[in-house]
Amino acid sequence: MENNELITIASIERHEEWLIDIKENLEPQPDCCIYKVPKHTREKKEDGYTPKVISIGPLHHGKKVLGDMEKQKIRLKREFIKRIATETWQKLITYIEIHEQYIRNCYEEMPKFKKLKLVRMILYDAIFIIELFLRCFGGSDDYLLNVVWFNAIRLDLQLLENQLPYFILNGLYMLAFPKPNLQEQNYPSFFLLSCNFFYDSMFNGIPNEMEVRHFVDLRRCILTKTYPEPRTIELEPFRNMPCALKLQESGLKFKGITRERDLLDIKFEKKNPRIPWVEVHYELQIPCIEVFEETECLIRNVMALEQRHYSSETHFCNYIHLMDYLINTEDDVNLLVEAGIISNYVGDNARIAKMFNEFGQQINASPSCYQDIIKDLNVHYNDPWNHAMATLKRVYFSNYWIGTATIAAIMLLFLTLIQTVCSILQVV
């Protein structure tokens, strides 16, 4: 451009936009459900979103570090062929081919794979998953089901970037084992196979069939299946909510719930004692969460899915948000562990405190069913009477012996007072 040439929008576009392929769609399709974790989120915990032993789908396909498992995909594909008729194999390939564009639309970013490469990749990944699930359900002693490989594969299959659309897995499974033959051949539904493979303490029983988009979505759907809708669209400010230790100092009791309720089913209840003159107390009931080595990774990926796909229904993130504000320090975790709300299998309570504090840095909240609980907790904490009664109980009635001594002292003081009054009356 000459110095005296007029700058126009056309000249700016030629200079700035010539590198962009204008035919490329830079926005996710309506069917999109499998996302790349944003860079600012990934940087906080890179290995929490990256597969370590196996790639599934296009986003990590071809990485050398994951290459060893490609041979296992071929092995399980050869074993799977023994289960089906020869003509069925072509039906599976055709099914993927027919749904090629829909599969592409499911991914936020799709590498420019040619049709043959995409179909081949989807086929081998899907058959690997189906055969592995069948072997796990049947109690096989397959090499990949020993504890070392199983835990690593199971975790990789629950990473947001490492997914196949659920419809393609279920569709191929139904083609291979049509419904009329499921019971006859002793093949369960693919949903049951999936729940069996991923089952852990977060599930609280096998649910009825539900519509899911992929395995991360399966976990989210199971976690949020009993989550009640919030009563209001207003966001309750969490910033003023006291931590667990401060709430305990105001007289609040914490109670861990084991198996009766789902993980997100938190309740704040007023407990009326059977003895009339004994004071009522307030109790925060929270279902127990078991924290293992893989728990942080599972939580991060469910949160990443919610932030991208369920931005107005961040039910699981709301739960994590509440837990984050209850946990400020290791002392808060100690309290929740003693109450049976957290089961620590990683050894260090400070590590759990750090984990929840880091979760809170990446949450955008939506209207929450916990808003009423938050209001009740704040009201309870801000009542001076609750603090006074809690201090009285903590100082003078913390255990049986101190309580007995306190009562004895009160009785002695009362008797001394009576004696003093009687002495004065005698003098008068």
Side-chain angles (χ1 to χ4, degrees):
M1 179 181 292
E2 298 295 335
N3 290 336
N4 59 352
E5 184 178 343
L6 180 66
I7 297 177
T8 65
I9 184 62
S11 62
I12 291 176
E13 288 175 350
R14 282 198 305 270
H15 184 268
E16 190 67 27
E17 301 181 15
W18 66 276
L19 289 174
I20 297 179
D21 180 5
I22 60 174
K23 295 181 181 179
E24 182 181 2
N25 190 342
L26 299 179
E27 293 187 5
Q29 297 297 307
D31 301 319
C32 178
C33 60
I34 301 171
Y35 300 87
K36 288 278 290 184
V37 177
K39 184 178 179 181
H40 64 274
T41 301
R42 173 181 284 281
E43 287 176 343
K44 297 180 185 298
K45 195 77 172 181
E46 177 75 26
D47 61 352
Y49 307 100
T50 306
K52 297 175 179 61
V53 297
I54 185 170
S55 71
I56 297 294
L59 299 183
H60 292 274
H61 181 76
K63 289 187 176 180
K64 290 185 179 180
V65 69
L66 305 174
D68 291 345
M69 198 57 65
E70 297 303 309
K71 297 177 182 178
Q72 296 295 333
K73 292 179 184 179
I74 295 173
R75 178 178 73 85
L76 290 196
K77 171 252 182 185
R78 291 175 178 173
E79 294 297 320
F80 180 80
I81 289 176
K82 298 175 184 178
R83 299 178 183 268
I84 60 176
T86 305
E87 60 271 16
T88 302
W89 191 244
Q90 184 57 50
K91 291 181 181 179
L92 302 183
I93 297 172
T94 302
Y95 184 81
I96 298 174
E97 186 178 6
I98 291 172
H99 293 89
E100 177 203 357
Q101 188 56 51
Y102 187 66
I103 293 171
R104 292 181 184 273
N105 292 345
C106 288
Y107 292 87
E108 180 184 27
E109 294 182 17
M110 169 61 75
K112 294 183 179 179
F113 290 160
K114 292 184 178 180
K115 185 175 186 178
L116 175 60
K117 183 175 182 179
L118 179 67
V119 171
R120 183 176 70 241
M121 179 197 67
I122 297 296
L123 178 68
Y124 276 80
D125 287 356
I127 296 307
F128 172 85
I129 290 173
I130 293 172
E131 179 65 22
L132 186 67
F133 282 17
L134 285 170
R135 287 172 176 252
C136 179
F137 187 83
S140 168
D141 59 353
D142 189 273
Y143 167 72
L144 296 179
L145 295 177
N146 72 58
V147 65
V148 176
W149 281 109
F150 175 75
N151 288 338
I153 293 171
R154 186 174 177 271
L155 189 57
D156 276 359
L157 293 183
Q158 297 178 89
L159 303 180
L160 181 57
E161 296 181 353
N162 212 35
Q163 298 297 310
L164 289 183
Y166 190 86
F167 87 89
I168 202 73
L169 290 163
N170 191 58
L172 293 175
Y173 184 80
M174 293 304 298
L175 281 174
F177 313 110
K179 275 189 176 180
N181 297 326
L182 283 179
Q183 291 184 349
E184 180 182 332
Q185 298 180 14
N186 198 29
Y187 287 114
S189 69
F190 187 70
F191 183 82
L192 181 58
L193 281 181
S194 302
C195 290
N196 175 73
F197 189 81
F198 295 117
Y199 190 87
D200 58 25
S201 60
M202 292 185 184
F203 273 58
N204 192 23
I206 300 294
N208 297 324
E209 297 251 355
M210 52 181 69
E211 184 178 347
V212 300
R213 294 169 174 83
H214 45 70
F215 294 143
V216 182
D217 193 49
L218 169 66
R219 180 169 290 275
R220 179 192 177 273
C221 288
I222 288 172
L223 286 169
T224 62
K225 66 180 183 295
T226 58
Y227 185 94
E229 289 299 319
R231 297 180 182 179
T232 174
I233 61 173
E234 297 179 2
L235 290 177
E236 181 70 20
F238 280 76
R239 61 183 178 273
N240 296 324
M241 181 178 156
C243 65
L245 203 59
K246 289 184 177 180
L247 287 169
Q248 185 194 47
E249 290 172 355
S250 70
L252 180 72
K253 294 183 180 298
F254 289 85
K255 181 180 180 181
I257 307 298
T258 52
R259 287 291 179 184
E260 298 85 27
R261 301 209 296 258
D262 291 331
L263 186 63
L264 273 60
D265 191 6
I266 298 175
K267 296 185 185 308
F268 179 78
E269 292 193 353
K270 179 179 180 181
K271 308 297 288 187
N272 292 303
R274 295 179 180 178
I275 305 174
W277 58 84
V278 177
E279 185 185 11
V280 301
H281 69 269
Y282 293 88
E283 187 174 82
L284 186 61
Q285 300 175 358
I286 304 178
C288 177
I289 179 171
E290 298 182 354
V291 180
F292 298 92
E293 290 294 336
E294 66 273 14
T295 302
E296 179 178 358
C297 183
L298 297 176
I299 289 175
R300 284 185 178 277
N301 280 270
V302 174
M303 289 173 61
L305 171 65
E306 278 202 340
Q307 295 293 293
R308 299 302 308 279
H309 196 80
Y310 298 98
S311 58
S312 61
E313 299 175 330
T314 57
H315 302 332
F316 185 69
C317 286
N318 291 336
Y319 162 79
I320 294 296
H321 209 180
L322 178 60
M323 292 295 291
D324 173 41
Y325 277 89
L326 286 175
I327 298 172
N328 278 348
T329 66
E330 182 181 359
D331 291 334
D332 296 307
V333 178
N334 294 339
L335 169 59
L336 297 181
V337 168
E338 291 175 3
I341 292 170
I342 295 177
S343 290
N344 182 0
Y345 294 93
V346 297
D348 187 358
N349 285 348
R351 182 177 167 188
I352 294 180
K354 181 181 177 182
M355 179 182 76
F356 275 101
N357 294 160
E358 289 179 349
F359 288 157
Q361 298 172 8
Q362 52 180 295
I363 294 177
N364 293 317
S366 66
S368 170
C369 73
Y370 303 127
Q371 290 170 198
D372 289 341
I373 293 177
I374 296 165
K375 289 179 181 178
D376 291 340
L377 289 174
N378 281 328
V379 168
H380 182 275
Y381 181 76
N382 292 324
D383 188 341
W385 174 257
N386 291 329
H387 285 270
M389 292 303 298
T391 301
L392 179 65
K393 292 176 182 177
R394 184 169 60 253
V395 174
Y396 296 106
F397 295 94
S398 58
N399 60 50
Y400 175 80
W401 297 109
I402 293 177
T404 302
T406 300
I407 294 173
I410 292 172
M411 292 179 64
L412 180 61
L413 179 63
F414 181 71
L415 292 173
T416 302
L417 179 63
I418 292 175
Q419 185 180 15
T420 302
V421 171
C422 291
S423 299
I424 293 172
L425 290 176
Q426 287 179 356
V427 172
V428 174

